[in-house]
Amino acid sequence: MGEQISKECAQIAEDYKRAIESGIPSWEGDAAEAYRAKATEIAEQIQSLAAAVGVSQAVQGFGQLVATVRGITRDLIADVVGEILIAAGAALASSWFTLGGSLAAFTGWAVARGRPPRARSRARSPSSS
């Protein structure tokens, strides 16, 4: 729909420019020059409106991209938090048998799981020491 609006605006601007050139060829004087100058300015503004519709579509596309990235990020965070909560429950339930060792192991695992992938790979690489 935006593309159609853009084409229509461009067509209107072009038609208006032609009307300025051919519609009043016999009109002369200061008033005629002032009219032609103002009418040309209006035609250029209509032409700019056609370009603005394209920019509007680009901004709308970027908005959709941001919404998609936001949704993916929210889902990833929810997955990690869910994983951590399940593991915390398991560690707490088994802490009676492990005398708290499972809580210590869970804490180390949760910290490592919560780190971004790059931080995890840097921590593992021998050249980082």
Side-chain angles (χ1 to χ4, degrees):
M1 181 168 166
E3 187 176 319
Q4 183 65 27
I5 293 171
S6 180
K7 286 179 182 178
E8 288 291 328
C9 286
Q11 185 63 46
I12 290 168
E14 198 58 42
D15 292 346
Y16 194 54
K17 285 178 186 176
R18 272 187 296 221
I20 295 166
E21 295 167 3
S22 65
I24 50 169
S26 61
W27 192 13
E28 296 178 5
D30 292 340
E33 290 304 316
Y35 171 78
R36 286 185 186 101
K38 192 57 152 174
T40 302
E41 182 181 330
I42 291 170
E44 289 170 357
Q45 289 172 349
I46 294 170
Q47 188 69 39
S48 320
L49 183 60
V53 171
V55 171
S56 168
Q57 288 178 320
V59 169
Q60 187 177 21
F62 284 123
Q64 290 172 346
L65 176 65
V66 167
T68 301
V69 169
R70 182 176 176 233
I72 291 169
T73 302
R74 182 183 40 80
D75 291 348
L76 288 173
I77 290 171
D79 287 347
V80 169
V81 168
E83 240 181 84
I84 289 174
L85 288 175
I86 290 170
L92 186 60
S94 63
S95 66
W96 289 97
F97 306 110
T98 62
L99 303 174
S102 62
L103 294 175
F106 162 74
T107 302
W109 173 84
V111 168
R113 181 65 180 104
R115 274 200 204 152
R118 276 196 162 162
R120 280 184 257 169
S121 65
R122 275 186 286 195
R124 277 189 254 147
S125 69
S127 60
S128 64
S129 27

